[in-house]
Amino acid sequence: MSRDDPAIVCDHLSVRFRDFVAVDDLSFEVPRCSLFGFLGPNGAGKSTTVSVLCTLLAPSSGGARVAGFDVAKAPDQVRARIGVLFQDPCVDDRLTGLENLELHALVYGVPRAERKQRMAQAVELTGLGASVNNIVRSYSGGMRRRLELARVLLHRPEVLFLDEPTAGLDPQTRRNFWQHLSELRQQRGMTVFLTTHYLEEVEDADAVTIVDRGKAVAQGSPSELKARLPPELSHGKAALEDVFVHLTGASIREEEASSRDHVRREVQRRGRLR
């Protein structure tokens, strides 16, 4: 992939589950080495889109490329180049942090001669320290998040997907998480694809796409999106949250669980959940 090529291209992507349309003709590009915010209310199609980009679901129509590879035609090439930090914990709390790292390195085929060095670097970068030798069930929520971040960095992904990465964490832990990630982005030149309900976490994003009911309703940098907000709604100083509510509505929806269930069942049916 050329340095000028987008890290992610979503091209008229649609995903349907029988009569339910989860993603509807969605198109966007994510610049290489950028922080990209993918926002939307519950049931907007965020999880479905991420599942396609991570090769867990196939598009119904349209397509997508990640790190230069088609997600449907070359899923193994895509998986080798991405890291995914899901909202729900994915580490084994019966093992030590180090054992979790060793297992991940083995699964992703990290060369034996490099495993020890890469694990040491990941531990240092994420601030795990000596805690890496402890059983994970003794970790705080913040420490588990650090371990998960260290784990997905071992195979040196070009694109890092973060799905609600700081949900349930206290403000100090959230701040520390983003400080660590900012340092990693500068050192590794990774592209970060972020979904979050903490809109302040994308105020410094390079680009943002807001989706609602499977469609893109706004795209641009945070400053560009805020500039489009009607003056009477900005209260003198627009925030991204004002833009979000203006475009998607203020009512709370209860569609997310249903949407996630559709995705989970379809992934299992197609036998592609790893």
Side-chain angles (χ1 to χ4, degrees):
M1 182 174 66
S2 165
R3 293 186 63 87
D4 296 327
D5 291 338
I8 300 172
V9 176
C10 206
D11 186 19
H12 297 284
L13 175 69
S14 293
V15 180
R16 294 178 291 274
F17 304 103
R18 295 186 180 179
D19 59 347
F20 175 68
V21 180
V23 179
D24 191 1
D25 195 34
L26 182 62
S27 296
F28 61 83
E29 292 187 359
V30 179
R32 191 173 181 270
C33 301
S34 66
L35 172 60
F36 179 83
F38 191 58
L39 308 177
N42 291 341
K46 301 188 303 297
S47 295
T48 305
T49 302
V50 172
S51 293
V52 171
L53 296 177
C54 294
T55 77
L56 297 177
L57 280 178
S60 300
S61 61
R65 298 194 306 278
V66 176
F69 293 92
D70 188 289
V71 297
K73 297 178 181 178
D76 290 340
Q77 297 285 358
V78 172
R79 292 172 186 169
R81 290 163 173 80
I82 65 173
V84 186
L85 190 59
F86 291 110
Q87 180 178 352
D88 298 324
C90 298
V91 292
D92 191 330
D93 67 358
R94 298 166 297 180
L95 304 177
T96 66
L98 190 61
E99 288 169 340
N100 271 280
L101 296 180
E102 289 173 338
L103 179 61
H104 185 85
L106 181 64
V107 168
Y108 271 85
V110 176
R112 182 184 296 272
E114 298 180 24
R115 288 178 196 168
K116 191 171 183 179
Q117 179 183 9
R118 288 201 193 184
M119 287 191 293
Q121 289 175 341
V123 169
E124 180 180 0
L125 287 171
T126 55
L128 278 171
S131 297
V132 74
N133 297 306
N134 298 338
I135 297 292
V136 172
R137 66 181 51 179
S138 69
Y139 283 16
S140 65
M143 290 301 294
R144 291 193 186 211
R145 260 321 189 209
R146 290 189 189 187
L147 174 61
E148 290 176 337
L149 182 58
R151 181 175 60 85
V152 300
L153 293 173
L154 284 178
H155 62 286
R156 297 178 178 171
E158 296 178 34
V159 181
L160 181 61
F161 289 92
L162 302 178
D163 184 17
E164 302 287 348
T166 60
L169 300 183
D170 61 78
Q172 183 179 16
T173 303
R174 284 174 56 203
R175 183 182 298 112
N176 290 338
F177 175 88
W178 283 111
Q179 287 177 345
H180 285 301
L181 189 62
S182 176
E183 294 170 3
L184 287 171
R185 284 187 59 226
Q186 293 177 7
Q187 294 178 22
R188 298 284 181 86
M190 290 185 304
T191 302
V192 176
F193 185 105
L194 169 68
T195 72
T196 180
H197 284 109
Y198 298 116
L199 298 191
E200 67 272 17
E201 294 183 338
V202 291
E203 285 285 353
D204 294 325
D206 299 290
V208 172
T209 289
I210 300 177
V211 293
D212 193 20
R213 304 189 190 279
K215 292 180 175 289
V217 296
Q219 300 189 65
S221 68
S223 59
E224 289 171 341
L225 295 182
K226 286 185 281 189
R228 300 174 196 170
L229 192 67
E232 65 271 17
L233 298 177
S234 66
H235 309 295
K237 185 178 181 181
L240 199 54
E241 183 174 352
D242 298 316
V243 178
F244 182 87
V245 173
H246 174 62
L247 292 171
T248 63
S251 61
I252 297 175
R253 301 178 190 168
E254 302 297 340
E255 303 167 358
E256 184 76 358
S258 174
S259 178
R260 286 181 183 272
D261 285 344
H262 276 290
V263 174
R264 186 179 297 109
R265 286 196 297 268
E266 189 66 10
V267 169
Q268 291 173 341
R269 186 183 72 81
R270 298 184 186 187
R272 301 186 62 186
L273 183 61
R274 296 178 58 179

